[in-house]
Amino acid sequence: MVAFDQLPAAAGLYDPAQESDACGVGFIADLSGAQTVGTVRDGLAALANMEHRGACGCEVETGDGAGVCAGMPREFIRAAAAEAGFGDALPQGDGALVAVGNVFFRREEPELRRQCVQLLEQELAQVGCAIAGWRVPPTDNSSLGRSALLAEPEVAQIFVIPSEPATQEHFETVLFLARKRTTHKALQLVAEDEQPNAPVYFCSLSSKTIVYKGMLRTHQLSSYYPDLLRDDFKTHVVSFHSRFSTNTFPAWSRAHPYRFLCHNGEINTLIGNRNWMAAREGQLQSDILGDGLKSALPIIERNNSDSQSLDNVLELLVRAGRSLPEAVLMMVPEAWQNSTHMDDKKRAFYQYYSSIMEPWDGPALVLFNDGDMVGAVLDRNGLRPCRFYVTNDNRIICGSEAGLLPQIPSANIVQKGRLQPGKMLLADIQQGRIVDDAEIKARFASMHPYGDWIANKSFTIQTLLSNPSPVCELTAVPDSFADENAYLEWEEAS
């Protein structure tokens, strides 16, 4: 049996640390917020229409990966819980908080699974959550190829509720901490030479969204997960992804979407991004995450792809209090340094955050979805396609190419366009509207006096060299030392 995320060790020109992929991505959202089965079915149809943007192995039945991230289907989760025998354990009411997560465990290792479940239950209890029940979602692997079958995980579905009344944002925060702690501690349950391969993987664990994915081809997704074809599986937003692992090995856990994003392209600054994140972990602080932040480290999990690493950091920024679009702009900025036409406030916004977060440069098209907002950003290289159109029934369809849903009459389309380099497309479902790129960036650029902070609180190497005394005293280093002790004596005296 192969672990569901197992990858070969580095050998010759291959190194799993340099894996990346290029794919087909998209989303469909009902701006009214109405949950319908049509949104799900159209999402699955659009995904199938991007089969050519994914890939498969020599076995045509084994895909590089396919998946969907749906806004929490409220009717379905209540029906599924009732069918599993714990429907009465869920809190009632429209505002009741219920988190659902799809979890991968290794097959044929029941003791390891038991230990992972015990770890998760302990971590959830520590952050004030209770488990309403576990469900085994039906799966059908009859269409899978040999490689996908060898690595197929055991899929389980967990239902979690807060033990005490809580806001949704607090609930999401503690779920994040419990999941990260469980993931890190679970690695200690396996032998050291197996540790790059996790014994448990959370596709998602949230009260806002749910992810179904796997080492599948696009047309296999709904047959493998019959949940997606149920008439009560209704949602208001769905993002989807067909994976083409250009220089990578496919794995169940590496299929998209991840907890917030799905991605077409590659992150070519990845090694530097990972190293800088590791370097700054000792200085990370958060009023929201508090002391729990340390137990969530490392933020970028072991053996992650470029897209997974991007999602790990994006998730941290959101859980620490930033909005999803603001966090995306921090990580994927437009070209601002040499722009002669950019507003001063927007330039100051980018300049300020450039000292906190290095750009994750592609070429990359990044789609993001948290159930309340869904959108896309094209990095400043602009080398990945993204088309969108808005219909007269208040829906937005966005994806790697036009014609994802060819059955929509042209007369029903009220707006269409393409995403340009450095621009963001945002659908705010809570507000029921599409937010223009200029409005998004003007809002964030005006939130704080970034220009004043830069002018009054920053300094450059040139500042130090021309006027060192206000900041620090610069001591000339002698050209040479007789030995190491002489250098240590000079350093101590300085």
Side-chain angles (χ1 to χ4, degrees):
M1 196 64 168
V2 178
F4 56 79
D5 66 345
Q6 184 167 323
L7 297 173
L13 296 177
Y14 171 74
D15 186 341
Q18 297 178 359
E19 292 212 348
S20 56
D21 46 22
C23 324
V25 295
F27 69 78
I28 297 174
D30 188 322
L31 295 174
S32 72
Q35 294 203 327
T36 65
V37 72
T39 299
V40 180
R41 302 289 165 82
D42 283 347
L44 293 172
L47 175 63
N49 288 335
M50 289 197 297
E51 170 68 18
H52 59 286
R53 287 189 171 270
C56 61
C58 294
E59 316 156 359
V60 295
E61 301 89 356
T62 295
D64 281 7
V68 296
C69 174
M72 189 58 71
R74 295 185 293 271
E75 183 179 337
F76 161 75
I77 64 169
R78 294 200 172 276
E83 292 166 7
F86 54 86
D88 292 342
L90 301 187
Q92 302 301 311
D94 291 339
L97 295 177
V98 180
V100 184
N102 284 332
V103 188
F104 290 165
F105 295 101
R106 292 187 188 177
R107 280 191 179 272
E108 300 178 6
E109 297 193 42
E111 177 58 22
L112 185 59
R113 172 183 171 148
R114 186 195 65 78
Q115 291 176 304
C116 290
V117 168
Q118 185 178 33
L119 259 180
L120 175 59
E121 292 177 344
Q122 290 172 349
E123 295 299 335
L124 286 169
Q126 286 185 9
V127 296
C129 294
I131 296 176
W134 286 88
R135 172 179 180 258
V136 179
T139 57
D140 179 359
N141 63 11
S142 60
S143 67
L144 269 57
R146 179 175 178 273
S147 297
L149 283 171
L150 283 174
E152 184 187 13
E154 205 171 281
V155 185
Q157 201 168 71
I158 185 173
F159 289 64
V160 182
I161 58 176
S163 300
E164 301 290 339
T167 64
Q168 189 170 32
E169 290 311 308
H170 175 75
F171 189 37
E172 292 291 316
T173 298
V174 297
L175 289 170
F176 162 74
L177 291 175
R179 196 198 78 232
K180 294 289 280 190
R181 291 170 185 167
T182 301
T183 300
H184 296 328
K185 290 180 179 180
L187 285 173
Q188 309 307 314
L189 299 176
V190 295
E192 188 172 345
D193 60 348
E194 288 188 82
Q195 285 193 3
N197 305 309
V200 59
Y201 174 80
F202 297 86
C203 299
S204 60
L205 181 57
S206 172
S207 62
K208 293 184 173 184
T209 58
I210 186 168
V211 173
Y212 286 81
K213 66 178 185 176
M215 196 167 145
L216 308 164
R217 297 185 63 177
T218 58
H219 62 274
Q220 292 174 327
L221 182 68
S222 58
S223 61
Y224 185 80
Y225 291 112
D227 281 354
L228 297 173
L229 296 178
R230 288 177 52 143
D231 290 337
D232 57 3
F233 197 102
K234 303 173 183 179
T235 189
H236 54 290
V237 59
V238 60
S239 51
F240 42 87
H241 187 275
S242 173
R243 187 172 190 237
F244 191 118
S245 48
T246 47
N247 63 335
T248 72
F249 286 87
W252 283 78
S253 61
R254 290 192 171 201
H256 300 224
Y258 298 113
R259 287 104 194 190
F260 278 120
L261 64 80
C262 49
H263 166 225
N264 174 25
E266 52 194 40
I267 302 300
N268 284 317
T269 55
L270 180 62
I271 294 175
N273 295 132
R274 283 173 171 166
N275 288 343
W276 276 114
M277 277 304 301
R280 65 168 60 96
E281 283 188 347
Q283 297 178 306
L284 293 178
Q285 296 181 17
S286 169
D287 292 338
I288 293 175
L289 298 173
D291 294 337
L293 175 58
K294 292 181 180 179
S295 64
L297 304 179
I299 295 301
I300 296 179
E301 295 164 8
R302 197 180 315 191
N303 213 30
N304 271 4
S305 68
D306 56 345
S307 305
Q308 285 175 307
S309 301
L310 180 68
D311 186 75
N312 283 164
V313 179
L314 179 62
E315 185 178 32
L316 171 69
L317 295 175
V318 173
R319 293 295 163 239
R322 290 181 172 85
S323 71
L324 181 55
E326 181 185 12
V328 171
L329 289 176
M330 284 177 60
M331 299 184 70
V332 190
E334 61 185 300
W336 60 270
Q337 290 94 331
N338 298 316
S339 174
T340 57
H341 305 291
M342 184 173 289
D343 174 78
D344 288 342
K345 285 187 176 181
K346 185 162 73 166
R347 184 191 307 277
F349 168 82
Y350 285 126
Q351 185 177 354
Y352 174 80
Y353 278 120
S354 71
S355 66
I356 297 175
M357 176 65 63
E358 304 74 33
W360 292 63
D361 268 339
L365 167 64
V366 178
L367 267 64
F368 50 90
N369 176 14
D370 70 355
D372 295 329
M373 290 182 283
V374 63
V377 66
L378 184 60
D379 85 319
R380 52 193 177 181
N381 294 292
L383 298 176
R384 289 294 180 270
C386 182
R387 301 276 181 173
F388 69 92
Y389 47 101
V390 183
T391 61
N392 56 10
D393 58 353
N394 214 24
R395 293 200 305 165
I396 178 170
I397 297 98
C398 173
S400 293
E401 56 190 59
L404 291 178
L405 295 176
Q407 71 271 25
I408 296 179
S410 298
N412 292 0
I413 298 174
V414 298
Q415 180 186 352
K416 61 182 177 180
R418 68 177 179 88
L419 200 55
Q420 298 178 355
K423 302 301 183 182
M424 176 177 284
L425 172 68
L426 179 66
D428 189 324
I429 299 170
Q430 289 189 322
Q431 294 185 16
R433 68 186 183 100
I434 298 171
V435 187
D436 181 70
D437 174 83
E439 180 185 344
I440 299 165
K441 292 170 181 176
R443 181 200 312 164
F444 292 126
S446 301
M447 286 179 64
H448 301 289
Y450 295 111
D452 293 343
W453 290 352
I454 293 169
N456 299 326
K457 300 294 184 180
S458 64
F459 55 87
T460 64
I461 292 176
Q462 287 74 19
T463 305
L464 291 174
L465 294 176
S466 62
N467 185 24
S469 56
V471 181
C472 64
E473 295 291 339
L474 298 181
T475 305
V477 180
D479 292 336
S480 62
F481 296 96
D483 54 33
E484 183 179 355
N485 290 332
Y487 170 77
L488 294 173
E489 289 173 4
W490 170 85
E491 186 181 46
E492 185 175 349
S494 299

Coordinates of all heavy atoms in Angstrom, one line a residue, residues 411-450:
A411 N -27.5 36.1 -24.9 CA -28.4 37.2 -24.4 C -28.5 37.3 -22.9 O -28.9 38.4 -22.4 CB -29.8 36.9 -25.0
N412 N -28.1 36.2 -22.2 CA -28.2 36.3 -20.7 C -26.9 36.9 -20.1 O -26.9 37.0 -18.9 CB -28.4 34.9 -20.2 CG -29.7 34.3 -20.5 OD1 -30.5 35.0 -21.2 ND2 -30.0 33.1 -20.1
I413 N -25.9 37.1 -20.9 CA -24.6 37.7 -20.4 C -24.7 39.2 -20.4 O -24.8 39.8 -21.4 CB -23.4 37.2 -21.2 CG1 -23.4 35.6 -21.1 CG2 -22.1 37.8 -20.7 CD1 -22.3 35.0 -22.0
V414 N -24.5 39.8 -19.2 CA -24.6 41.2 -19.1 C -23.2 41.9 -18.9 O -23.1 43.1 -19.1 CB -25.5 41.6 -17.8 CG1 -26.9 41.2 -18.0 CG2 -24.9 41.1 -16.5
Q415 N -22.2 41.1 -18.6 CA -20.8 41.6 -18.5 C -19.8 40.5 -18.7 O -20.1 39.4 -18.3 CB -20.6 42.3 -17.1 CG -19.2 42.9 -16.9 CD -19.0 43.3 -15.5 OE1 -19.9 43.4 -14.7 NE2 -17.8 43.7 -15.2
K416 N -18.8 40.8 -19.4 CA -17.7 39.8 -19.6 C -16.4 40.5 -19.7 O -16.3 41.7 -20.1 CB -18.0 38.9 -20.8 CG -18.1 39.6 -22.1 CD -18.4 38.5 -23.2 CE -18.5 39.2 -24.6 NZ -18.9 38.2 -25.6
G417 N -15.3 39.8 -19.4 CA -14.0 40.4 -19.5 C -12.9 39.4 -19.1 O -13.2 38.2 -19.0
R418 N -11.7 39.9 -19.1 CA -10.6 39.1 -18.7 C -9.8 39.8 -17.6 O -9.8 41.0 -17.5 CB -9.6 38.8 -19.9 CG -8.9 40.0 -20.4 CD -8.0 39.7 -21.6 NE -7.3 40.8 -22.1 CZ -6.1 41.3 -21.6 NH1 -5.6 40.7 -20.6 NH2 -5.6 42.4 -22.1
L419 N -9.2 39.0 -16.8 CA -8.4 39.5 -15.7 C -7.0 40.0 -16.2 O -6.4 39.2 -16.9 CB -8.2 38.5 -14.6 CG -7.8 39.0 -13.2 CD1 -8.8 40.0 -12.7 CD2 -7.8 37.8 -12.2
Q420 N -6.6 41.2 -15.9 CA -5.3 41.7 -16.4 C -4.2 41.5 -15.3 O -4.5 41.3 -14.1 CB -5.5 43.2 -16.7 CG -6.5 43.4 -17.9 CD -6.7 44.9 -18.2 OE1 -6.2 45.7 -17.5 NE2 -7.5 45.1 -19.2
P421 N -2.9 41.7 -15.7 CA -1.8 41.5 -14.8 C -1.9 42.4 -13.6 O -2.2 43.6 -13.7 CB -0.6 41.8 -15.6 CG -1.0 41.6 -17.0 CD -2.5 41.9 -17.1
G422 N -1.8 41.8 -12.4 CA -1.8 42.5 -11.2 C -3.2 42.9 -10.7 O -3.3 43.5 -9.6
K423 N -4.2 42.5 -11.4 CA -5.6 42.9 -11.0 C -6.3 41.9 -10.3 O -6.0 40.7 -10.3 CB -6.4 43.3 -12.3 CG -5.8 44.4 -13.1 CD -5.6 45.7 -12.4 CE -5.0 46.8 -13.2 NZ -4.8 48.0 -12.5
M424 N -7.3 42.3 -9.5 CA -8.1 41.4 -8.7 C -9.6 41.4 -9.1 O -10.1 42.5 -9.4 CB -8.0 41.7 -7.2 CG -8.9 40.8 -6.3 SD -8.6 41.1 -4.5 CE -7.1 40.3 -4.2
L425 N -10.2 40.3 -9.2 CA -11.7 40.2 -9.4 C -12.3 39.6 -8.1 O -11.8 38.6 -7.6 CB -12.0 39.2 -10.5 CG -13.4 38.8 -10.8 CD1 -14.2 40.0 -11.2 CD2 -13.5 37.7 -11.8
L426 N -13.2 40.3 -7.5 CA -13.8 39.9 -6.2 C -15.3 39.9 -6.3 O -15.9 40.9 -6.6 CB -13.3 40.9 -5.1 CG -13.8 40.6 -3.7 CD1 -13.3 39.2 -3.2 CD2 -13.4 41.7 -2.7
A427 N -15.9 38.8 -5.9 CA -17.4 38.7 -5.7 C -17.6 38.6 -4.2 O -17.3 37.7 -3.6 CB -17.9 37.5 -6.4
D428 N -18.3 39.7 -3.7 CA -18.6 39.7 -2.2 C -20.1 39.2 -2.1 O -21.0 40.0 -2.4 CB -18.4 41.1 -1.7 CG -18.6 41.2 -0.2 OD1 -19.4 40.4 0.4 OD2 -17.9 42.0 0.5
I429 N -20.2 38.0 -1.7 CA -21.5 37.4 -1.7 C -22.4 38.0 -0.5 O -23.6 38.1 -0.7 CB -21.4 35.9 -1.5 CG1 -20.6 35.3 -2.7 CG2 -22.8 35.2 -1.4 CD1 -20.3 33.9 -2.6
Q430 N -21.7 38.4 0.6 CA -22.5 39.0 1.6 C -23.1 40.3 1.2 O -24.2 40.7 1.6 CB -21.6 39.2 2.9 CG -21.2 37.9 3.6 CD -20.5 38.1 4.9 OE1 -19.7 39.0 5.0 NE2 -20.9 37.2 5.8
Q431 N -22.4 41.1 0.4 CA -22.9 42.4 -0.1 C -23.7 42.2 -1.4 O -24.4 43.1 -1.9 CB -21.7 43.3 -0.4 CG -21.0 43.8 0.8 CD -20.0 44.9 0.5 OE1 -20.0 45.5 -0.5 NE2 -19.0 45.1 1.5
G432 N -23.6 41.0 -2.0 CA -24.3 40.7 -3.2 C -23.9 41.4 -4.5 O -24.7 41.8 -5.3
R433 N -22.5 41.7 -4.6 CA -22.1 42.4 -5.7 C -20.6 42.1 -6.1 O -19.9 41.5 -5.3 CB -22.2 43.9 -5.4 CG -21.2 44.4 -4.3 CD -21.5 45.9 -4.0 NE -20.5 46.4 -3.0 CZ -19.4 47.2 -3.4 NH1 -19.2 47.5 -4.6 NH2 -18.6 47.6 -2.4
I434 N -20.2 42.5 -7.2 CA -18.8 42.4 -7.7 C -18.1 43.7 -7.3 O -18.6 44.8 -7.6 CB -18.8 42.1 -9.2 CG1 -19.4 40.8 -9.5 CG2 -17.3 42.1 -9.7 CD1 -19.6 40.5 -11.0
V435 N -17.0 43.6 -6.7 CA -16.2 44.7 -6.2 C -15.1 45.0 -7.2 O -14.3 44.1 -7.5 CB -15.7 44.5 -4.8 CG1 -15.0 45.8 -4.3 CG2 -16.8 44.0 -3.9
D436 N -15.0 46.2 -7.7 CA -14.0 46.6 -8.7 C -12.6 46.6 -8.1 O -12.4 46.9 -6.9 CB -14.4 48.0 -9.2 CG -13.4 48.5 -10.3 OD1 -13.4 47.9 -11.4 OD2 -12.6 49.4 -10.0
D437 N -11.7 46.3 -9.0 CA -10.3 46.2 -8.5 C -9.8 47.5 -7.9 O -9.2 47.6 -6.8 CB -9.4 45.9 -9.7 CG -7.9 46.0 -9.4 OD1 -7.3 45.0 -8.9 OD2 -7.3 47.1 -9.7
A438 N -10.2 48.7 -8.5 CA -9.8 50.0 -8.0 C -10.4 50.2 -6.6 O -9.7 50.8 -5.7 CB -10.2 51.1 -8.9
E439 N -11.7 49.8 -6.4 CA -12.3 50.0 -5.1 C -11.7 49.1 -4.0 O -11.5 49.6 -2.9 CB -13.8 49.7 -5.2 CG -14.6 49.8 -3.9 CD -16.0 49.4 -4.0 OE1 -16.5 49.2 -5.1 OE2 -16.6 49.2 -2.9
I440 N -11.4 47.9 -4.4 CA -10.7 47.0 -3.4 C -9.4 47.6 -2.9 O -9.2 47.7 -1.7 CB -10.4 45.6 -4.1 CG1 -11.6 44.9 -4.6 CG2 -9.6 44.7 -3.1 CD1 -11.3 43.8 -5.5
K441 N -8.6 48.0 -3.8 CA -7.2 48.5 -3.4 C -7.3 49.9 -2.8 O -6.5 50.2 -1.9 CB -6.3 48.5 -4.7 CG -6.1 47.1 -5.1 CD -5.4 47.0 -6.5 CE -5.2 45.5 -6.9 NZ -4.6 45.4 -8.2
A442 N -8.2 50.7 -3.2 CA -8.4 52.0 -2.5 C -8.8 51.9 -1.1 O -8.4 52.6 -0.2 CB -9.4 52.9 -3.3
R443 N -9.7 50.9 -0.9 CA -10.2 50.6 0.5 C -9.0 50.2 1.4 O -8.9 50.7 2.5 CB -11.3 49.5 0.5 CG -11.8 49.2 1.9 CD -12.5 47.8 1.9 NE -13.4 47.6 0.8 CZ -13.9 46.4 0.4 NH1 -13.4 45.3 1.0 NH2 -14.7 46.3 -0.6
F444 N -8.2 49.2 1.0 CA -7.1 48.8 1.8 C -6.0 49.8 1.9 O -5.4 49.9 3.0 CB -6.6 47.4 1.2 CG -7.5 46.3 1.4 CD1 -7.9 45.5 0.3 CD2 -8.1 46.0 2.6 CE1 -8.8 44.5 0.4 CE2 -9.0 44.9 2.7 CZ -9.3 44.2 1.6
A445 N -5.8 50.6 0.9 CA -4.7 51.6 0.9 C -5.1 52.7 1.9 O -4.2 53.4 2.4 CB -4.5 52.1 -0.5
S446 N -6.4 52.9 2.2 CA -6.8 54.0 3.0 C -7.0 53.5 4.5 O -7.4 54.4 5.3 CB -8.1 54.6 2.5 OG -7.9 55.1 1.2
M447 N -6.8 52.3 4.8 CA -7.1 51.7 6.1 C -6.2 52.3 7.1 O -6.6 52.5 8.3 CB -7.1 50.2 6.1 CG -8.3 49.6 5.4 SD -8.2 47.8 5.4 CE -8.2 47.4 7.2
H448 N -4.9 52.5 6.7 CA -3.9 53.0 7.7 C -3.0 54.1 7.0 O -2.9 54.1 5.7 CB -3.0 51.9 8.2 CG -3.8 50.8 8.9 ND1 -4.3 51.0 10.1 CD2 -4.1 49.5 8.5 CE1 -4.9 49.9 10.5 NE2 -4.8 49.0 9.5
P449 N -2.4 54.9 7.7 CA -1.5 55.9 7.1 C -0.1 55.3 6.7 O 0.9 55.6 7.3 CB -1.3 57.0 8.2 CG -1.5 56.2 9.5 CD -2.5 55.1 9.2
Y450 N -0.1 54.4 5.7 CA 1.1 53.7 5.3 C 2.2 54.6 4.9 O 3.4 54.4 5.2 CB 0.8 52.7 4.2 CG -0.2 51.6 4.6 CD1 -1.5 51.6 4.1 CD2 0.2 50.6 5.5 CE1 -2.4 50.5 4.4 CE2 -0.7 49.6 5.8 CZ -2.0 49.6 5.3 OH -2.8 48.6 5.6

